[in-house]
Amino acid sequence: MATGIPQRRVLRTDIPGPRSAELHARKIAAVASGVGTTLPAYVVRAGGGIVVDVDDNHLIDFGSGIAVTSVGNSAPRVVDAVRAQVEDFTHTCFMITPYESYVAVAERLNDLTPGDHEKRTALFISGAEAVENAVKIARHHTGRSAVVAFDHAYHGRTNLTMALTAKNMPYKHRFGPFAGEIHRVPMAYPYRWPSGSATCADQAFEAFTTAVRVQVGSDNVAAVIVEPIQGEGGFIVPAPGFLHRVAEWCRDEGILLIADEIQTGFCRTGDWFASTHERIVPDLITTAKGIAGGLPLAAVTGRAEIMDSVHTGGLGGTYGGNPIACAAALAAIDTMHAEDLCGKARRIEAIMRPRLDTLVERYDQLGEARGRGAMLAVEFAEPTPALAGAVSAACHRAGLITLTAGTFGNVLRFLPPLVIGEDLLTEGLDILDAAFQEVL
Ligand SMILES: *Cc1c(COP(=O)(O)O)cnc(C)c1O
């Protein structure tokens, strides 16, 4: 079984090895080239902090399939729940003949998300679909059409979510025209704030309120959408206090606050949701990625009066809240409770953060280390992708799966599974050290 995989790195060939190279040639001939590949090592098994490829190399996983397998790949409770559900029934469509697990996932999300107000949840398939629906609900409830998003934001690849996403390449380039009524404002990004981090929160807040009031008109704005730590944008932690002030201001203006917790949610940042660190209680929260241990599931959770303002039949989809994905989500959430994965994320931070700080001290080319819990990154000072790409490639050759991010492609980001063993975590950090030595 996948979870029986020894938690050790083993390299039997170059990475990628010969069998992966063969599969990759088939991929290039069969799969649309727009679908990229970070590391063409073809996977046969994965569990804990290890990914095994077709050449029997055992790679250390600092990516979790982009913050998805927080409970580990093929986590035991998830495997059991999925197996049982597949034997009972695979699909009915919740809108046709419903089932308990969907309701139970909604109850859990209503309970776990920030705020003790009454809530409702609707389930979907992908993160982008959840964001689309959060915007639909916000517009319907407020009767307003404008939506405000931030610099460096990532909210998905569908037409509306491309419009919300900030970065042109690769997400938007020549894919327009985009959905209308999306307005962009500066993010309080301390490291790159022109006048320095000390003035960042105040000036960004001023710029935000001015743009919304003067350029868009507060009365026209249905919602402000924000990632409490920006993910693809480079693990940008907003300047302290910024989001809290944004949330209070939105409340006074009758603007809904949507927290996109698709990457930050489910223990990733050391709490169930990153909104908690920012002392914000969003009106609507979107979740996906870590929710179901690798099965496709997404959700919008929000204030009951907002969610229930939509007419019956206005929300849904054929597969949203599929029973197999719901069974996996319940098992994944049980795992997070039983194994205290929020505590594990904080422990990962305690081990990783000093090592990343040391790298920043050692290499002038690095600008800063940042992040929370098991969502950590280092940013290169130079706003170009060359060094982050080179270090990441060196990690891959040594059997460590790393990802890059950032508006400038100059951020190395780390998202280990929360169940990763400390030996493996330390070995991964040693490989990262060696990759820096090799490249810089
Ligand atoms: C990944 C991501 C999305 C999109 O989710 P998909 O499941 O890929 O559609 C949206 N928002 C954030 C913050 C994300 O990290």
Side-chain angles (χ1 to χ4, degrees), residues 60-424:
I60 300 176
D61 186 9
F62 273 14
S64 302
I66 322 185
V68 169
T69 52
S70 297
V71 296
N73 248 298
S74 300
R77 288 179 184 82
V78 172
V79 170
D80 290 346
V82 165
R83 204 171 261 152
Q85 182 58 50
V86 167
E87 286 182 358
D88 288 345
F89 64 96
T90 51
H91 175 83
T92 60
C93 187
F94 186 75
M95 301 181 302
I96 308 300
T97 46
Y99 37 89
E100 181 181 354
S101 58
Y102 187 121
V103 179
V105 171
E107 288 167 348
R108 298 280 191 100
L109 290 177
N110 296 345
D111 188 41
L112 286 169
T113 49
D116 49 18
H117 50 279
E118 197 173 337
K119 296 174 206 149
R120 301 283 187 270
T121 287
L123 300 181
F124 303 98
I125 305 164
S126 71
E129 196 190 3
V131 171
E132 293 253 358
N133 277 279
V135 170
K136 273 170 69 172
I137 294 163
R139 284 176 167 162
H140 187 92
H141 177 76
T142 58
R144 303 169 173 186
S145 55
V147 177
V148 173
F150 287 88
D151 284 342
H152 312 288
Y154 181 85
H155 297 293
R157 293 175 182 267
T158 58
N159 187 264
L160 173 60
T161 59
M162 271 194 292
L164 293 166
T165 291
K167 189 175 174 177
N168 178 51
M169 275 301 265
Y171 308 121
K172 304 170 75 166
H173 188 60
R174 296 175 63 136
F175 294 140
F178 303 111
E181 284 299 324
I182 306 298
H183 303 271
R184 197 166 304 286
V185 292
M187 167 49 70
Y189 181 179
Y191 177 63
R192 293 204 180 266
W193 196 256
S195 57
S197 60
T199 52
C200 177
D202 283 349
Q203 291 185 0
F205 180 69
E206 185 63 31
F208 163 76
T209 55
T210 303
V212 175
R213 226 171 348 97
V214 178
Q215 295 178 19
V216 193
S218 305
D219 291 351
N220 299 319
V221 179
V224 168
I225 182 165
V226 66
E227 301 153 84
I229 297 178
Q230 291 183 310
E232 305 303 303
F235 287 17
I236 299 165
V237 183
F242 174 71
L243 287 188
H244 186 72
R245 289 169 72 183
V246 166
E248 294 204 315
W249 190 83
C250 286
R251 194 188 51 212
D252 292 345
E253 299 291 325
I255 297 169
L256 302 184
L257 183 69
I258 304 171
D260 181 348
E261 292 246 20
I262 288 168
Q263 193 155 159
T264 49
F266 297 100
C267 301
R268 178 53 56 185
T269 63
D271 213 319
W272 280 94
F273 294 96
S275 291
T276 304
H277 300 286
E278 302 295 335
R279 296 182 297 117
I280 60 174
V281 177
D283 300 297
L284 300 170
I285 299 184
T286 55
T287 52
K289 291 198 166 91
I291 192 173
L295 276 89
L297 187 71
V300 181
T301 301
R303 293 185 187 281
E305 66 275 18
I306 299 170
M307 298 293 291
D308 282 345
S309 70
V310 178
H311 49 279
T312 300
L315 303 175
T318 306
Y319 289 116
N322 168 273
I324 303 165
C326 285
L330 295 172
I333 293 168
D334 281 345
T335 304
M336 292 172 206
H337 281 294
E339 300 185 12
D340 183 25
L341 293 191
C342 290
K344 289 267 167 51
R346 294 193 293 270
R347 175 79 187 137
I348 289 169
E349 179 176 10
I351 294 169
M352 288 191 80
R353 186 57 198 259
R355 298 281 302 262
L356 300 180
D357 287 335
T358 303
L359 287 173
V360 174
E361 278 164 34
R362 195 180 299 154
Y363 296 101
D364 291 342
Q365 295 94 328
L366 278 177
E368 73 167 3
R370 60 172 177 255
R372 254 194 204 108
M375 185 172 181
L376 298 171
V378 288
E379 175 168 359
F380 286 89
E382 184 77 26
T384 64
L387 290 176
V391 173
S392 199
C395 290
H396 297 170
R397 288 193 295 274
L400 175 67
I401 301 171
T402 49
L403 311 176
T404 59
T407 294
F408 311 109
N410 62 338
V411 175
L412 277 170
R413 58 166 157 170
F414 309 106
L415 294 160
L418 304 180
V419 295
I420 194 170
E422 293 188 8
D423 287 355
L424 216 50

